[in-house]
Every structure is written in C-alpha cells, then in structure tokens.
Amino acid sequence: MSKTNMEIFEKLESEVRSYCRDFPTVFTKAKGHQLFDEDGKEYIDFFSGAGALNYGHNDENMKKKLIQYIMDDGITHSLDKATTAKAEFIEKFNEVILKPRNLNYKMMFPGPTGTNAVESALKLARKVTGRTDIISFTRGFHGMTIGSLSVTGNASKRKGAGVPLNHTVTMPYDQFVDERDSIDYLERYLEDDGSGVDLPAAMIVETVQGEGGINAARFDWLKKVEELCDKHDILLIVDDIQAGIGRTGTFFSFEKAGIKPDIICLSKSLSGYGVPFAVTLFHPDLDIWNPGEHNGTFRGNNHAFVTASAALDYWKDSSFEESIQEKSKITLDYLNKIVEEYPELNGKVKGRGLMVGIECESGEVADRVTSEAFERGLVMETAGMDGEVFKLFPAVNIDEDALRKGLEIIEESVKVVVKEPVTN
C-alpha cells in the first residue's frame, strides 16, 4: 500500500493545524498506550489525545460494546430524544460515580465538546443568579468559543476571538504571585465597594491547569474558594474537562479537596473512546432551563453513550483508582529524580496524579525535549504560556513496564538536551 504524501496536508489543510507540525509523521494505527505510523514505527503515547484518551486507544471492552451496538443498528443520532443507550449511561453514571461520592447532580448534554459544557455552565450561572460577570483565574483555559475564551487567560487564544471579551474578571490563581495566598486578595475585591468588581454570577476554576502550565491548586486553596463562593452566594464551576476522569488520581479532580461544586463541566475522556461527548452537571435546584433553551444537534451521540457506559466498569470498585495512584507515585518520583540529577535543566516538577510535567527555563528547552522524545518513540506535548512545560499524559491504565519505558525515554531526551548530566 502506498504511503500518504505529507504534501496533502501542506497544500490543502489550513495553516491553523498544529499538532502535526510537532509530530511529523502519518499515524495509521493505535492500541492501548501505543501509536504506529505508516513506516511501522511504534510510539509510546504520553499525549493521550490531549487528555481525551485516558483509557488508551481502542479499549477492548468499549470496542466490543460499540461494534455490537452498531451491528444491531442501534440509534446513532437522537438529539435529546430518549434512547436505551442514553438511559443506561445516565443510570450507570449515577450509580457508579455520583452516589458513592455522595453527589447529587442533574445531567445536561449540551453538545459534544468541552467548550459546549463551559458555555452552558456560564449561561446557567447567569440565568440562575441574574448577574452578568464571571470570575476566572490567571492562566486558565476553558475552550475556544466566545464565552469560553472570555474566561481563558492565554493572550494568543483570546486574540483569536476577534472581538472584545467582556463580562469577566480575572483573579490570581493559587500561587500565581510568589507563594502568597490569593484568597484574601480575592475576598477584598468582593467586599470593598470601591474595588470596581461587581458581585459575579460564578467563579470558574480548573483544579489543575492543563494548558496553563500544569499548575495544581492546593486543596486548602480550593476549599477556601468554595467557602468564599458560599459566603457571597456565588456559584462555583469546576472545569474538569482535562483534569477529570481519573487523570489526577480520582474520578473527579476535586474529590480530595473535599469540595462539591455547584456546576461541573466534563468532556474529553468521558466517552472513554475518543468519541465526542460532554456533560454539564449541576445541583437539581439550579435546573431552571426552559425546554430547548440551550441545545445542540449532536448532543445525542449514542455511540458515546455506549462507550462511556462501558468505561464506567473501570470504576465499580476502588482497585482502578488505587492503580492510578500507584503509577502516579512512580511517575512523580521519576520526574523528581530527573530534576535532581540534571540541574542544568533548571526544572521544576508540576501537577498532580498522571497530569504532571517539568517546567523548564524556556519554551525552547521544553520543545527540544519533546522533539528528542519523539525521535526516540515517545509522543508528548508542551504546555504553559510559552510552552515551557513538557507534560506527561499517559493512559491511566498503562502498564507499569510501558510507563517506565516512557519515563526512561524522557530522561534520555533530557540528557541529550543538557549535554553533560551531573552524576553522583
């Protein structure tokens, strides 16, 4: 079979394409933690579809259920009509995920992507409170549509909107300014009539900022944010699109902080299979939508309902979560070792769970590490305002041997970049 001519993409695809520039090969097959290109070269995937493939590629259980559903002529597209696949997901998510965590939420299917979930969350918060402003946080990223961009910190992404982004106020994320706690600063703005900040409808926050540089908020900071919202009757929205579904060690990234957000945005790995799917969860008393007031043609993606239901089998007991946390420790220990043994990198380990990375002194250094890793058969990307963090997103069910092999490739890549590593 003839190989794909890369000029096809250069000549016919928009210049907006990005990932193919970082990973210049034609991928053709994927399984578990592995990617294969047309030359038959094998890659360990520490990218996981930017967090959309937490369970790896082509999971056997999900694939079997999806193929059987298609072969039985199951409903594919249904808008928000009732289907058996949708009912199974709703009931199973409630029984396997929400009830054991003592969480009570209504489910809304806003459209198939993360930014749809964020847009619906912002609209609902404004509708419920009658207020217009939203407080977001420095370096946050919430999506590429206008509402989501308005609460996103990245200047280059915001510029792409082409119009002013209004009705939001940006406040400092945890430890954005040195090691100081930003809660007092935030509360002063809310309570001082001379601050120029109106009482907002909601605050939207990522517990670990993915695109912003793998910045992990401390649990006590998150708890204080919740307390501040409760005190001022502000709705708390947690964007768990990238940090959720086991990525940080628990199904929801906020569980260990002991908080219960008013609204939760989920997408990316929710379908488990890389199939577009998003859900907005909110407390039942917030459900004041009029029928059809927020909708979307592809909010009834039944193939996603099928694979998402199958993915929930991983969470029926605590063993899966425990395995993620064990692999998280292996990863964290290894990254700390790299930073310690290669001080020329000027690295700093960041993140939580299997959403981690090393911040380098510049984006150029981080980019060189990812490029070296790619040449050695590992796919991973950079994050941060200048791409200064190389970040690790291995499948949360990756086997330990493959995880260690990937970590060794990272160390080899760092060694090449810094040239002469310091040895004990």
Side-chain angles (χ1 to χ4, degrees):
M1 189 173 71
S2 61
K3 293 180 182 178
T4 302
N5 186 344
M6 289 291 282
E7 290 185 4
I8 292 172
F9 308 105
E10 295 171 8
K11 289 182 177 179
L12 301 178
E13 189 179 5
S14 167
E15 292 299 317
V16 78
R17 68 191 187 281
S18 61
Y19 288 123
C20 61
R21 302 177 192 272
D22 297 326
F23 313 126
T25 191
V26 179
F27 294 104
T28 186
K29 185 178 178 180
K31 184 65 178 177
H33 64 270
Q34 297 171 299
L35 283 164
F36 302 88
D37 67 13
E38 287 186 341
D39 293 323
K41 184 175 180 179
E42 173 189 332
Y43 298 83
I44 295 175
D45 188 1
F46 271 23
F47 175 56
S48 296
L53 294 163
N54 282 0
Y55 306 99
H57 300 267
N58 289 305
D59 177 90
E60 280 300 315
N61 183 43
M62 299 178 211
K63 181 171 69 174
K64 180 180 177 181
K65 295 285 180 63
L66 180 57
I67 289 173
Q68 188 61 55
Y69 184 81
I70 293 171
M71 294 301 293
D72 290 342
D73 292 326
I75 294 288
T76 299
H77 175 274
S78 62
L79 294 164
D80 64 2
K81 295 190 291 290
T83 67
T84 52
K86 182 179 183 178
E88 180 184 355
F89 171 74
I90 291 174
E91 185 173 28
K92 195 170 183 180
F93 189 86
N94 193 51
E95 292 298 322
V96 175
I97 301 300
L98 297 182
K99 282 187 177 179
R101 292 162 178 80
N102 195 28
L103 298 172
N104 180 24
Y105 292 110
K106 295 285 285 290
M107 297 181 208
M108 173 184 177
F109 304 98
T113 69
T115 198
N116 295 129
V118 170
E119 294 284 354
S120 65
L122 301 180
K123 286 171 68 173
L124 181 60
R126 287 168 170 144
K127 181 178 175 66
V128 167
T129 64
R131 306 177 205 136
T132 57
D133 287 356
I134 306 291
I135 285 181
S136 57
F137 293 91
T138 49
R139 294 182 179 165
F141 178 83
H142 300 284
M144 298 298 284
T145 49
I146 296 298
S148 300
L149 277 176
S150 73
V151 290
T152 287
N154 187 298
S156 64
K157 299 289 193 297
R158 291 173 64 87
K159 185 178 179 181
V163 297
L165 299 170
N166 301 320
H167 306 302
T168 60
V169 177
T170 304
M171 288 289 170
Y173 192 72
D174 188 25
Q175 302 186 78
F176 178 72
V177 182
D178 301 324
E179 301 295 319
R180 284 174 280 179
D181 194 332
S182 60
I183 296 297
D184 292 341
Y185 176 88
L186 174 55
E187 186 163 25
R188 182 68 185 272
Y189 263 85
L190 292 174
E191 293 184 344
D192 193 318
D193 290 338
S195 69
V197 175
D198 294 328
L199 192 67
M203 295 187 196
I204 184 167
V205 65
E206 302 160 275
T207 65
V208 182
Q209 296 179 324
E211 301 305 308
I214 317 298
N215 310 306
R218 294 168 296 179
F219 294 140
D220 64 334
W221 185 86
L222 291 168
K223 188 66 178 174
K224 289 176 183 177
V225 169
E226 181 185 56
E227 290 169 355
L228 198 57
C229 286
D230 289 343
K231 180 179 179 180
H232 294 278
D233 194 27
I234 300 167
L235 297 179
L236 176 59
I237 304 169
V238 168
D239 179 343
D240 233 10
I241 291 164
Q242 192 166 99
I245 324 296
R247 176 54 56 190
T248 61
T250 52
F251 187 88
F252 295 109
S253 69
F254 55 80
E255 291 180 41
K256 290 187 177 180
I259 65 174
K260 293 185 177 181
D262 298 291
I263 305 174
I264 304 167
C265 301
L266 296 175
S267 184
K268 285 196 180 281
S269 282
L270 184 61
S271 78
Y273 206 74
V275 183
F277 188 33
V279 167
T280 310
L281 305 174
F282 41 79
H283 291 155
D285 61 312
L286 303 180
D287 192 16
I288 63 170
W289 292 112
N290 294 317
E293 190 172 12
H294 185 95
N295 55 38
T297 301
F298 293 100
R299 65 193 183 278
N301 185 354
N302 284 261
H303 290 172
F305 290 138
V306 170
T307 56
S309 294
L312 294 176
D313 288 341
Y314 277 108
W315 298 94
K316 285 183 173 179
D317 60 52
S318 62
S319 60
F320 184 61
E321 187 174 295
E322 290 166 0
S323 73
I324 298 174
Q325 293 170 7
E326 289 169 4
K327 282 175 276 198
S328 297
K329 185 179 186 307
I330 291 170
T331 304
L332 183 64
D333 289 346
Y334 205 105
L335 293 184
N336 281 323
K337 180 176 80 78
I338 289 175
V339 167
E340 182 179 327
E341 294 186 1
Y342 302 90
E344 301 92 338
L345 187 65
N346 291 320
K348 178 183 178 183
V349 178
K350 305 183 73 178
R352 181 178 297 128
L354 289 174
M355 185 176 183
V356 290
I358 293 180
E359 181 179 87
C360 305
E361 60 183 346
S362 71
E364 181 182 358
V365 173
D367 190 57
R368 287 178 60 200
V369 172
T370 59
S371 295
E372 291 288 343
F374 181 72
E375 290 298 316
R376 288 163 174 73
L378 178 79
V379 176
M380 66 176 178
E381 68 169 335
T382 59
M385 296 304 98
D386 298 309
E388 71 278 6
V389 180
F390 60 83
K391 70 176 186 179
L392 288 64
F393 269 47
V396 297
N397 58 350
I398 190 172
D399 65 79
E400 188 175 318
D401 287 343
L403 176 63
R404 290 187 183 277
K405 183 178 179 181
L407 293 169
E408 288 168 3
I409 291 175
I410 292 174
E411 182 176 9
E412 292 168 8
S413 303
V414 167
K415 184 177 180 178
V416 169
V417 170
V418 301
K419 303 298 184 184
E420 295 181 3
V422 173
T423 56
N424 293 330

